[in-house]
Amino acid sequence: MMQPQLAETLPWQGWRMHTRRDDVQDMIALVAQTLAGGDTELLYYGFAPGDGEDSGAEPARELVAVTMDRTQREVVWRFGRCEAGHPEKSPQAYFSSRLLAPQSGMKVCSEFPSLASQYLGALWIEREMWEKTGCIPVGHPDLRPILHPEKVLPDPVARGSGTFHLPLGPVRADVTESGFFLFDTIGEQIMHMQPQLFYKHRDMEKLAVGMTAEDALLLAERISGTSTVAHATAFCRAAEQALGYRPSLQNERERMLFGEMERLYNHVHDFSQLASATGMTVAQAQFARAKEELLRLNAEVVGSRYLRGAVRLGRSASVDWERGAARLTAELPAIDRRVRRFLRLLLHTPTFVDRLRPTGIVELEWARAYGVVGPVARACGLAVDARTDCLRHLYESTGHACMTAEDAFGDALSRFRVRVREWDISLHIVLELLPSLGMSTLVKTELSLATGKGSMGIGVAESPRGRVCHVLFCDNGKVVAWGIRAASAWNWPVFGLATANGNIQTDFPIIDASFGLSYAGLDR
Amino acid sequence: MRAEWLLSGLASGRVTTTYPRQREQELSRRRWNSVPTLNGPCSDTACRECSEVCPTDAITRVETQGNAALRLDVGACIACGRCVDRCPEGVFSWAEAIDRAEVRKERFISTVEGGADQ
Ligand code: SF4
Ligand code: SF4
């Protein structure tokens, strides 16, 4: 088995990193136990690269779960090897009902105890793990295929007189990516909603295997266009840890700045979508205009509207900061004034506020149980923000604070308010960071490749939608395995619940806009 | 409130530009990284940098009798900028056009014959 090395890097400065290898039963039990504590979060859960030493045809599967304890400041990588399955037992024997019957022809190569049976945040992850490898999470409460939406359509749940089944999608309006939603309704009331996603599954984690980290970064940038910087930053942080490279403070500052520029245009886009969902056309147009201005500003500073190529591996961006800083300081205040004016107008307009108030409520216990992240979690009053959880020492000097909602109802208005507060903070961080970038001399260091047998790294960044986490296993500078957890992957399972939480059909666009989820981030 | 909305809607005036009438104006004001373009022939016979660094194999060097022609397929390009950054001869630069449409895929391919010192 590869000997993992965990170098201390700037983003994880002062954190302890441990690896533990346990029996798979103990491992799952321990992870579930620490997650129940409340201060620990699951950063990543999936398969580690197998070493192929197993006698069977299938390489031995090893599970890895990375948890982060915020108060103890420690990250624990837990490994556990899956147990061999029972080939004589037919796959059907693992499933209790017709609804859960697996696709025909799938063989059971190994099994592991399900984490999802104790921690709901792992529900979709384990479905995906099972479908990709055939390893069965024993005891999973809802094991259904997830990766091939074109093959299986969801069954309606509510039946009886007066119930309607309304399919929506997978082709959506606007630039929204493909997603299918099955509503069970009675009259206007939504009783149940099942999202069916993964139409944009590109198997990116597999595509990167064998690539150099620098090439894989190009893939990371393209996971989800509107979270380019967050994914690239998380990937670079993971790769730099795996390759044994310590980035300079200048590098990290630039990444933080790009991250906030990304948040600015994303939040304005969400304002615009929400205004459109409530029929506030003037506000919609004005926010769309602000978004376009921000995108053009991005292009002027970095060269790319969606900030591609801004985050580099082991290097600082090739940006003329003197000019960039001048452009940003000249243009941002004017955009900010306009955005603020319309936000104030919206918050004083009853037709807008009334539509948002008790709409799409995410209950606090759901948010906890599913490990929800980003503005959706903060709207429930949970102080979940990677910038304060694990990157505090980087963001300390910028005056960043985790913005939970003042009125933590967990509804669309709370989510809107969280974004409004974050708009202020992001703008503040950008203007705060700019002078330090303009002054410092560019530190150009070439990346030194670690020559160790095997190494791994974990990178975290806060995207506009919440925490993004990348896990990377490298060998001789080449990617052996890559794991991506986008923010939306944690929030999607709750979306269906929130939609059916006492809402009517016409609330759906508002809930959709207030969640602001990314399809590509989950599908990857 | 209604008056404020009305005013705010009217006060900002027209903010859109007519396209493509003001296209040239827009392009001269903004420099965005779109796709690279070939500035001229490559005169470095030993260098293979561009074809090696291009992640999508959009650049090929075709060598015939000591003469190296460059072939660039912007249809396969993902605008990563490596060729622009790394070419020691400055053969690649960002194209001015931020919009480009062709009827046939082959039109995205451009070639230059070998260098002058050959
Ligand atoms: S910009 Fe990148 S993808 Fe495009 S031709 Fe140059 S190296 Fe290739
Ligand atoms: S075009 Fe530039 S990078 Fe490519 S071979 Fe010639 S000198 Fe080297």
Side-chain angles (χ1 to χ4, degrees):
Chain A
M1 181 58 214
M2 64 165 53
Q3 280 310 309
Q5 307 164 357
L6 287 166
E8 192 186 75
T9 60
L10 196 54
W12 291 115
Q13 197 170 26
W15 281 67
R16 278 171 300 154
M17 291 237 176
H18 307 290
T19 51
R20 299 250 187 287
R21 199 168 295 278
D22 294 301
D23 176 61
V24 70
Q25 304 277 351
D26 295 347
M27 173 210 164
I28 296 292
L30 279 167
V31 172
Q33 198 186 328
T34 44
L35 288 175
D39 267 329
T40 310
E41 285 187 49
L42 186 62
L43 287 184
Y44 183 75
Y45 175 49
F47 288 114
D51 50 10
E53 282 165 15
D54 204 58
S55 50
E58 291 283 329
R61 291 283 172 188
E62 195 160 39
L63 288 181
V64 56
V66 189
T67 52
M68 170 186 79
D69 189 330
R70 274 183 276 177
T71 45
Q72 299 293 318
R73 294 170 73 78
E74 67 178 0
V75 173
V76 187
W77 298 64
R78 290 186 196 278
F79 292 88
R81 188 170 293 254
C82 294
E83 289 153 4
H86 303 282
E88 70 280 1
K89 207 161 145 188
S90 87
Q92 268 71 16
Y94 284 92
F95 300 89
S96 48
S97 77
R98 186 198 62 81
L99 197 66
L100 307 183
Q103 287 162 305
S104 56
M106 192 173 238
K107 64 183 190 309
V108 178
C109 62
S110 47
E111 58 178 54
F112 59 96
S114 163
L115 176 63
S117 60
Q118 299 167 71
Y119 178 69
L120 291 174
L123 268 180
W124 287 23
I125 305 176
E126 281 185 348
R127 283 169 68 183
E128 199 185 321
M129 286 161 75
W130 160 66
E131 209 181 352
K132 269 192 183 148
T133 61
C135 291
I136 290 212
V138 179
H140 189 287
D142 181 26
L143 202 57
R144 282 177 293 143
I146 192 169
L147 283 181
H148 300 284
E150 73 284 0
K151 286 192 191 151
V152 229
L153 279 181
D155 279 334
V157 173
R159 287 169 202 282
S161 105
T163 55
F164 281 87
H165 310 302
L166 182 86
L168 177 71
V171 180
R172 308 282 313 278
D174 202 354
V175 289
T176 319
E177 281 147 353
S178 309
F180 175 82
F181 303 97
L182 182 63
F183 294 88
D184 296 349
T185 59
I186 183 151
E188 272 282 278
Q189 201 75 25
I190 303 172
M191 299 166 79
H192 189 77
M193 197 278 272
Q194 299 178 66
Q196 167 117 325
L197 304 158
F198 284 90
Y199 285 93
K200 206 180 175 174
H201 182 53
R202 293 150 286 172
D203 215 353
M204 294 186 110
E205 289 151 329
K206 259 282 183 40
L207 281 179
V209 172
M211 282 188 181
T212 61
E214 215 170 26
D215 282 350
L217 171 62
L218 295 174
L219 278 182
E221 282 188 332
R222 283 153 181 83
I223 292 168
S224 169
T226 48
S227 308
T228 300
V229 176
H231 279 288
T233 305
F235 177 86
C236 283
R237 285 175 178 160
E240 282 159 359
Q241 188 178 32
L243 302 176
Y245 175 81
R246 230 181 118 90
S248 69
L249 188 59
Q250 160 92 4
N251 286 10
E252 285 297 345
R253 284 221 179 103
E254 283 179 357
R255 290 171 189 175
M256 286 151 62
L257 180 95
F258 295 140
E260 298 308 320
M261 283 162 71
E262 184 169 85
R263 199 179 323 281
L264 286 177
Y265 84 73
N266 267 290
H267 278 11
V268 156
H269 172 78
D270 288 338
F271 298 151
S272 160
Q273 292 294 92
L274 213 47
S276 143
T278 47
M280 311 297 293
T281 40
V282 173
Q284 182 211 349
Q286 291 288 351
F287 289 131
R289 170 191 175 188
K291 181 193 174 189
E292 178 60 27
E293 284 171 340
L294 286 168
L295 289 178
R296 289 184 182 188
L297 205 51
N298 288 349
E300 273 183 68
V301 176
V302 174
S304 159
R305 286 159 63 83
Y306 287 88
L307 300 165
R308 280 183 181 163
V311 177
R312 308 270 177 123
L313 190 61
R315 286 187 291 149
S316 42
S318 54
V319 169
D320 176 1
W321 278 118
E322 217 165 296
R323 207 183 131 266
R327 293 294 299 139
L328 284 170
T329 35
E331 299 243 344
L332 281 179
I335 300 176
D336 176 47
R337 262 198 306 281
R338 213 155 356 93
V339 169
R340 264 172 214 260
R341 176 173 176 214
F342 284 96
L343 287 175
R344 188 182 55 78
L345 272 175
L346 276 183
L347 283 169
H348 286 96
T349 304
T351 46
F352 177 76
V353 177
D354 291 352
R355 293 289 280 120
L356 264 59
R357 183 71 280 183
T359 306
I361 296 178
V362 176
E363 309 285 351
L364 184 59
E365 54 264 41
W366 298 349
R368 285 223 178 89
Y370 283 89
V372 164
V373 296
V376 181
R378 298 195 276 274
C380 299
L382 292 180
V384 184
D385 187 332
R387 289 169 293 175
T388 42
D389 290 344
C390 55
L391 305 167
R392 187 185 291 268
H393 55 285
L394 286 179
Y395 281 88
E396 220 157 39
S397 61
T398 63
H400 169 261
C402 178
M403 283 294 146
T404 51
E406 288 155 327
D407 49 345
F409 286 114
D411 60 0
L413 188 65
S414 299
R415 290 190 279 278
F416 177 71
R417 285 230 168 105
V418 167
R419 290 200 175 93
V420 171
R421 299 180 78 189
E422 285 187 6
W423 165 269
D424 288 351
I425 285 281
S426 292
L427 203 84
H428 178 76
I429 299 179
V430 168
L431 297 177
E432 197 75 13
L433 281 173
L434 274 178
S436 67
L437 294 178
M439 295 297 173
S440 73
T441 48
L442 281 186
V443 193
K444 279 235 162 89
T445 339
E446 279 310 308
L447 193 65
S448 64
L449 296 183
T451 45
K453 169 85 174 67
S455 49
M456 59 194 203
I458 181 162
V460 175
E462 182 76 11
S463 81
R465 298 176 180 81
R467 186 186 60 231
V468 164
C469 178
H470 283 225
V471 167
L472 198 69
F473 293 84
C474 287
D475 198 9
N476 287 325
K478 292 264 163 52
V479 175
V480 177
W482 180 22
I484 308 162
R485 276 281 146 251
S488 300
W490 298 108
N491 292 352
W492 265 113
V494 179
F495 179 63
L497 297 178
T499 307
N501 195 8
N503 298 296
I504 56 170
Q505 273 292 319
T506 45
D507 289 334
F508 179 70
I510 296 171
I511 304 171
D512 194 16
S514 73
F515 265 76
L517 294 167
S518 152
Y519 296 70
L522 168 79
D523 299 356
R524 65 210 190 279
Chain B
M1 189 48 61
R2 192 173 296 167
E4 255 192 273
W5 275 115
L6 259 174
L7 271 179
S8 64
L10 296 172
S12 47
R14 199 188 72 179
V15 292
T16 49
T17 48
T18 43
Y19 196 87
R21 197 134 53 89
Q22 286 169 331
R23 178 176 178 278
E24 304 302 319
Q25 242 167 292
E26 278 298 305
L27 291 184
S28 61
R29 271 201 297 146
R30 326 234 171 229
R31 302 293 304 203
W32 293 342
N33 303 354
S34 47
V35 285
T37 168
L38 288 167
N39 288 333
C42 162
S43 50
D44 192 335
T45 43
C47 180
R48 299 281 178 280
E49 188 78 6
C50 54
S51 52
E52 275 163 22
V53 295
C54 179
T56 55
D57 294 332
I59 305 170
T60 23
R61 265 176 67 106
V62 197
E63 267 160 90
T64 41
Q65 290 129 30
N67 205 357
L70 275 178
R71 178 177 176 279
L72 169 69
D73 179 3
V74 292
C77 171
I78 56 165
C80 71
R82 286 183 186 176
C83 54
V84 181
D85 282 354
R86 305 252 186 112
C87 172
E89 304 255 314
V91 169
F92 299 90
S93 66
W94 292 112
E96 290 222 343
I98 50 168
D99 49 353
R100 182 161 172 191
E102 299 287 355
V103 180
R104 294 166 65 87
K105 216 166 64 185
E106 299 79 60
R107 299 238 179 102
F108 285 121
I109 301 172
S110 48
T111 36
V112 285
E113 289 309 315
D117 63 342
Q118 295 294 309

